[in-house]
Amino acid sequence: MTRATLDLTGLWRCQPDVCQEGERERYYAADCDVRLWREVSMPAGFDRIAPGMESYEGVCWYRRSFEVPESWRDKLVVVRFEGVNYHARAWVNGEPAGEHADGFLRFDLPIGGLLRYGAENVLAVRVDNERRQGEVPGMERGWRTYGGILREVLLIATDRLRIEEPRIVGEPAEQGGKLSLQVRLVNGRDEEAEAELAVVIADSDGHGLARHSCGAAALSAGAHAVVQAELRVDGIRPWSPDDPALYTARLTLRAGGEVVDELDVRFGSRRIEATDEGLLLNGEPIFLTGFNRHEDSPRTGMCTDLETARRDLEEMKDAGCNFVRLCHYPHHPKEPDLCDELGLLAMAEIPVYWWKGLEEGEENCALKLQAARRQLTKMIRRDWNHPSLIFWSVSNETREDLPEVAEGNAELVRLAKELDPTRLAVHVSSHWGEHPHFECDDVVCVNAYPSWPTWGSSGEGRRPAREESTRFWTDSLARLRKRYPAKPILVTEFGYPCLEDVFGTAMGEDAQAEAIEAEFAGMTAPYVCGATIWCWADHPWPEEAFIRYVTTSPFGVLTRRRRKLKGFWTVRGLFRARQRIVSAVHVEHQAPEAGWLVEMIRPNLDDIPQVAFPPGFGIRPMRPGEAAVWTDIHRDAEPYITITDGLFHDQFGTDLPATHRRCFFIVDGRGVAVGTISAWYSRDFKGRDHGRIHWVATRRAYQRRGLGRAGLSYGLNRLAEWHERAYLTTQTQRLPAIKMYLDFGFLPDLEQPNAGVAWRSVREALKHPALEELDL
């Protein structure tokens, strides 16, 4: 055994401590009676511990029992927390184990001397998310202050002679890559040890590309040494968004002829440079198009949800993005992993947010800068092997009109460069118009929202005209360029808020789309190296008066539930055009199992075929609480995709009251539901109001009885009461359904990407008259 782990997620006992009596009552004691504490599956924020705690700022306790094997007795055993917000104090078997005050960042507590090997142990953690001056983020933040153990907890056992802080820097070189290796070897044993480190480089398929021995090093008891090596490896491809080539370095540490530690480190080979003409990736110009993304999930809040993170990043990539800003704090370490895999360049950031300098007091100002230095160092050392990360950001929207804040930002930028000269070090400014301070930065990073209404004393706002928003960026960036002619400019935030399904007003979906398009048009100067939308998806923010106490930040081009708004489709078109992404598909075998996703449109709701239900069958509206029945029918009927428990709410949760008049069950003579159809809607499909035939399904045992045709007839008749036209989405392998839709007057939408390829295969399979005359 080299490294052994024990997963400590799963069920814990949790207790709110609103009156902060836990230490007095010895909640940390091994014999504390916790039978009445709530059981919660971890990771979990305070909002999962008791109802109504979504905005709670205070203390909660977490406890869990576990056993460790006797074989760990002579090992170095640590408990690793991937992220606790914001202050943690831990006890093992009633004894203090350590504390940590840097939210979002990994920390290890050595607990070997406190454990009972081969027996039960108790880990207790006191967590609080109270805001404190002199800390980072401190009193100010633009996201909901979720407290809790938000990420995984793990026990790790290693030999006391071990590998720490491995770092691999890969740069493209002729016929391969040039690698710089740096590893810290630590001897925690009681005697001297002679350690030998070896490295094997392999590609993603596990094929070995190179081997290297770093030689032997004599380490006295308690000592450490830094081992460095330079390697040239043939066959390594440069990492880029178009080709995110990844490699693994297996580090093996031997002593006395035995392997005592082994660690795999994934890396890529790439070079990022900032020039007066823009950014160069591996020597080639690159323009960044991307989104800001908060670590927020509609399912788990701020707790780990890598499934949603992957889906978000994949959707960004499809929308023409090559960049994501992981705002405004260190995200889960697996998110840079995903960026590495998917080919998304990224910016990582510490939560120095809205810093007010000496306004918080001289001592607090100094303490905040000290905390920022500590967090920046931890983040860089945690994440420095990710090829996707090209920026270290040290702050966001701080008070740069104050000299102590401007100098603090500069000090942090200099520290980032010292710790990692291979990446670009920046701070992100909202005061750049009047107080620009970018002398130390590699890239000038700016935020602004010129399209958002300026509010008068009456509370009424005026939206600038489109050309004013465009001109703001064109003119302001030109002035900034004159001051910093040798530095490229990255727009790190621009965007506009909107309310879902609202149109024709200052916070409508159409207003958001128009504002984004107008502002992006002002970012065309050659010295502008990228544009980043604020933001990807709506997220909870503090329940304060940001926008008249709207408690979910409404700047996303997706809702928090990940419904795509009109602004998303605008951004997708702009970004894909900027990156020259061609939508045409050249090989048909790229289609997924269910075929290409296609849309069909009925331009009017006249002359709807009238089809009656067969004898013994009918239809009725859905009732409250029947989502599980709907889900069960779709699981029974669906041959291609996985029907999740939350699908009904994902699809219809934006307007649940409407489901009782727009969603229907087809029922048999006993009233048992055997099929579904929805007469849904879109207020802005192709810029116009449409009805939508949505989620049509019949249980397998009841198919081929005419229930689908009767249900479609009924659904269209209901849509005709409210709409003038209708559309639907389907997939090209669903040929019986497509034939039915064609029979009922739906026609292919040929404006979609891939429409020609998709519909040619359908035409060949169906030989339907409605398809024969189409120019595909």
Side-chain angles (χ1 to χ4, degrees):
M1 177 189 74
T2 53
R3 295 193 170 216
T5 60
L6 178 64
D7 184 1
L8 291 188
T9 54
L11 288 179
W12 288 49
R13 296 279 188 171
C14 303
Q15 180 81 309
D17 190 8
V18 178
C19 297
Q20 301 194 19
E21 57 191 322
E23 290 188 77
R24 184 180 69 248
E25 298 297 326
R26 303 183 75 248
Y27 285 178
Y28 55 82
D31 59 354
C32 179
D33 186 357
V34 297
R35 289 175 296 175
L36 297 182
W37 289 24
R38 183 183 293 259
E39 280 191 343
V40 177
S41 181
M42 300 291 285
F46 293 170
D47 55 309
R48 299 272 301 282
I49 293 178
M53 296 185 66
E54 292 80 6
S55 297
Y56 173 70
E57 295 188 24
V59 177
C60 285
W61 288 76
Y62 296 76
R63 285 176 57 106
R64 135 132 225 187
S65 299
F66 61 95
E67 293 187 8
V68 293
E70 180 68 33
S71 60
W72 285 18
R73 183 177 294 274
D74 295 325
K75 302 293 181 181
L76 173 69
V77 182
V78 302
V79 57
R80 169 168 292 177
F81 295 87
E82 286 293 353
V84 179
N85 284 17
Y86 287 85
H87 312 95
R89 294 171 60 195
W91 291 258
V92 173
N93 299 322
E95 298 296 325
E99 57 188 274
H100 190 256
D102 296 326
F104 304 106
L105 285 163
R106 172 188 297 162
F107 62 100
D108 293 347
L109 300 178
I111 60 171
L114 304 176
L115 293 173
R116 301 172 184 142
Y117 295 93
E120 184 177 82
N121 296 270
V122 176
L123 172 63
V125 187
R126 180 191 187 274
V127 181
D128 83 71
N129 64 338
E130 294 176 338
R131 308 187 198 197
R132 293 178 174 86
Q133 290 189 340
E135 293 191 349
V136 172
M139 303 302 292
E140 304 288 352
R141 61 198 71 170
W143 57 92
R144 188 72 58 83
T145 55
Y146 286 112
I149 300 177
L150 302 184
R151 298 175 187 161
E152 299 85 350
V153 184
L154 193 69
L155 280 185
I156 304 174
T158 65
D159 195 289
R160 295 181 182 277
L161 178 61
R162 62 197 185 273
I163 297 168
E164 286 189 355
E165 296 182 3
R167 183 181 186 188
I168 298 176
V169 176
E171 288 196 354
E174 188 175 352
Q175 297 182 339
K178 181 177 67 175
L179 306 184
S180 298
L181 170 69
Q182 178 179 295
V183 178
R184 187 169 180 258
L185 303 181
V186 179
N187 182 15
R189 295 178 177 181
D190 294 331
E191 68 279 343
E192 182 181 290
E194 187 170 280
E196 183 176 355
L197 181 71
V199 57
V200 176
I201 307 298
D203 64 17
S204 57
D205 295 323
H207 300 137
L209 301 176
R211 297 173 182 270
H212 180 77
S213 174
C214 299
L219 294 174
S220 59
H224 72 271
V226 175
V227 175
Q228 297 178 317
E230 301 287 331
L231 292 78
R232 293 288 295 244
V233 182
D234 292 340
I236 284 186
R237 306 194 312 276
W239 184 98
S240 72
D242 293 331
D243 182 17
L246 294 172
Y247 300 88
T248 299
R250 170 156 291 185
L251 306 174
T252 302
L253 184 64
R254 289 180 170 86
E258 295 184 354
V259 175
V260 296
D261 198 8
E262 200 163 52
L263 196 61
D264 286 346
V265 180
R266 196 170 68 170
F267 68 94
S269 175
R270 65 104 186 91
R271 181 187 300 112
I272 187 70
E273 301 168 86
T275 75
D276 58 351
E277 296 181 351
L279 295 181
L280 298 179
L281 179 67
N282 303 325
E284 297 294 329
I286 187 167
F287 184 87
L288 304 180
T289 48
F291 289 98
N292 288 266
R293 182 186 184 274
H294 264 294
E295 192 173 20
D296 174 66
S297 161
R299 299 188 304 167
T300 64
M302 239 180 188
C303 292
T304 303
D305 183 359
L306 296 175
E307 180 182 340
T308 294
R310 175 179 284 276
R311 189 164 57 247
D312 283 352
L313 297 173
E314 289 174 340
E315 292 269 19
M316 289 182 195
K317 185 92 184 217
D318 179 71
C321 291
N322 57 13
F323 175 66
V324 59
R325 181 183 179 207
L326 303 175
C327 58
H328 287 300
Y329 37 77
H331 284 219
H332 192 289
K334 291 290 185 183
E335 285 194 31
D337 274 340
L338 292 173
C339 292
D340 292 344
E341 296 166 12
L342 297 172
L344 278 170
L345 297 160
M347 174 184 288
E349 191 165 72
I350 58 170
V352 177
Y353 189 88
W354 292 355
W355 181 19
K356 297 179 179 178
L358 292 174
E359 289 187 13
E360 299 176 8
E362 185 174 350
E363 181 180 2
N364 288 326
C365 183
L367 288 172
K368 183 181 286 287
L369 185 57
Q370 179 182 328
R373 290 179 61 89
R374 184 177 66 242
Q375 291 188 22
L376 182 62
T377 301
K378 288 181 180 179
M379 179 181 71
I380 290 175
R381 288 178 174 166
R382 188 195 73 170
D383 292 337
W384 57 17
N385 290 311
H386 293 285
S388 59
L389 289 175
I390 58 172
F391 291 104
W392 301 124
S393 172
V394 305
S395 67
N396 180 71
E397 296 186 354
T398 55
R399 285 283 305 278
E400 294 170 78
D401 54 314
L402 303 174
E404 66 274 13
V405 172
E407 176 51 35
N409 283 330
E411 179 179 332
L412 294 171
V413 168
R414 289 192 293 268
L415 175 61
K417 291 181 179 184
E418 176 186 332
L419 292 168
D420 183 8
T422 71
R423 289 179 172 85
L424 307 174
V426 300
H427 78 288
V428 176
S429 175
S430 59
H431 287 68
W432 53 277
E434 298 296 329
H435 302 281
H437 294 284
F438 298 102
E439 287 74 18
C440 291
D441 297 56
D442 293 311
V443 175
V444 174
C445 293
V446 298
N447 299 349
Y449 295 86
S451 297
W452 182 231
T454 52
W455 298 98
S457 59
S458 65
E460 297 178 355
R462 181 189 71 83
R463 271 191 293 162
R466 289 171 58 100
E467 57 272 18
E468 292 180 53
S469 297
T470 304
R471 190 165 56 250
F472 168 85
W473 284 110
T474 302
D475 296 350
S476 300
L477 296 180
R479 288 193 296 271
L480 191 59
R481 173 66 171 185
K482 288 182 179 179
R483 180 150 183 169
Y484 299 99
K487 297 177 187 281
I489 300 174
L490 172 63
V491 178
T492 34
E493 289 184 28
F494 76 105
Y496 191 90
C498 78
L499 299 174
E500 181 181 11
D501 271 334
V502 171
F503 294 85
T505 183
M507 278 189 66
E509 289 190 35
D510 49 347
Q512 182 190 58
E514 291 169 5
I516 289 173
E517 184 172 16
E519 293 193 27
F520 189 63
M523 303 172 193
T524 58
Y527 47 80
V528 178
C529 66
T532 320
I533 299 287
W534 184 272
C535 59
W536 172 247
D538 294 347
H539 63 93
W541 58 7
E543 296 187 4
E544 298 169 359
F546 284 126
I547 300 181
R548 300 184 182 277
Y549 295 92
V550 173
T551 59
T552 297
S553 171
F555 282 83
V557 295
L558 276 71
T559 68
R560 194 182 185 214
R561 293 179 303 276
R562 292 341 192 235
R563 181 199 161 214
K564 297 178 177 69
L565 304 174
K566 181 178 175 63
F568 169 83
W569 299 108
T570 297
V571 173
R572 185 178 187 272
L574 294 170
F575 282 4
R576 287 174 71 89
R578 182 62 179 82
Q579 299 294 355
R580 295 180 174 86
I581 294 176
V582 180
S583 297
V585 176
H586 302 291
V587 286
E588 204 161 319
H589 68 264
Q590 290 179 343
E593 183 182 2
W596 303 111
L597 186 68
V598 293
E599 293 169 348
M600 302 180 71
I601 298 173
R602 202 176 198 276
N604 60 65
L605 290 171
D606 302 331
D607 303 319
I608 297 169
Q610 302 300 310
V611 180
F613 283 96
F617 292 91
I619 194 165
R620 68 164 176 84
M622 280 189 68
R623 299 166 186 147
E626 291 188 317
V629 179
W630 183 95
T631 301
D632 189 63
I633 292 171
H634 280 272
R635 281 180 176 154
D636 183 28
E638 177 53 49
Y640 297 114
I641 64 175
T642 300
I643 305 298
T644 63
D645 289 341
L647 180 62
F648 180 83
H649 285 276
D650 289 344
Q651 296 296 308
F652 302 107
T654 59
D655 193 0
L656 285 175
T659 60
H660 311 316
R661 61 181 179 273
R662 286 181 175 267
C663 297
F664 306 95
F665 282 135
I666 299 169
V667 296
D668 65 11
R670 300 166 298 164
V672 175
V674 299
T676 76
I677 190 165
S678 302
W680 205 241
Y681 64 91
S682 170
R683 300 299 184 210
D684 195 40
F685 176 71
K686 292 185 175 293
R688 306 178 72 183
D689 177 85
H690 279 71
R692 183 179 187 184
I693 294 295
H694 203 28
W695 289 99
V696 181
T698 306
R699 289 192 183 275
R700 296 182 189 185
Y702 292 85
Q703 293 174 2
R704 295 183 175 83
R705 300 191 189 191
L707 298 179
R709 298 178 73 85
L712 181 57
S713 178
Y714 182 87
L716 286 171
N717 280 300
R718 293 307 303 268
L719 288 181
E721 299 176 22
W722 306 310
H723 307 281
E724 296 180 359
R725 58 195 71 84
Y727 82 105
L728 58 86
T729 60
T730 186
Q731 287 164 294
T732 53
Q733 288 298 318
R734 303 180 191 273
L735 295 172
I738 290 176
K739 181 181 183 305
M740 178 176 70
Y741 300 143
L742 292 167
D743 291 344
F744 273 75
F746 283 89
L747 295 173
D749 175 14
L750 298 182
E751 296 179 358
Q752 268 191 290
N754 312 323
V757 170
W759 283 104
R760 277 197 294 272
S761 64
V762 176
R763 180 169 65 184
E764 183 176 342
L766 287 183
K767 310 295 185 185
H768 196 283
L771 299 178
E772 294 302 319
E773 298 180 0
L774 296 179
D775 181 11
L776 302 178

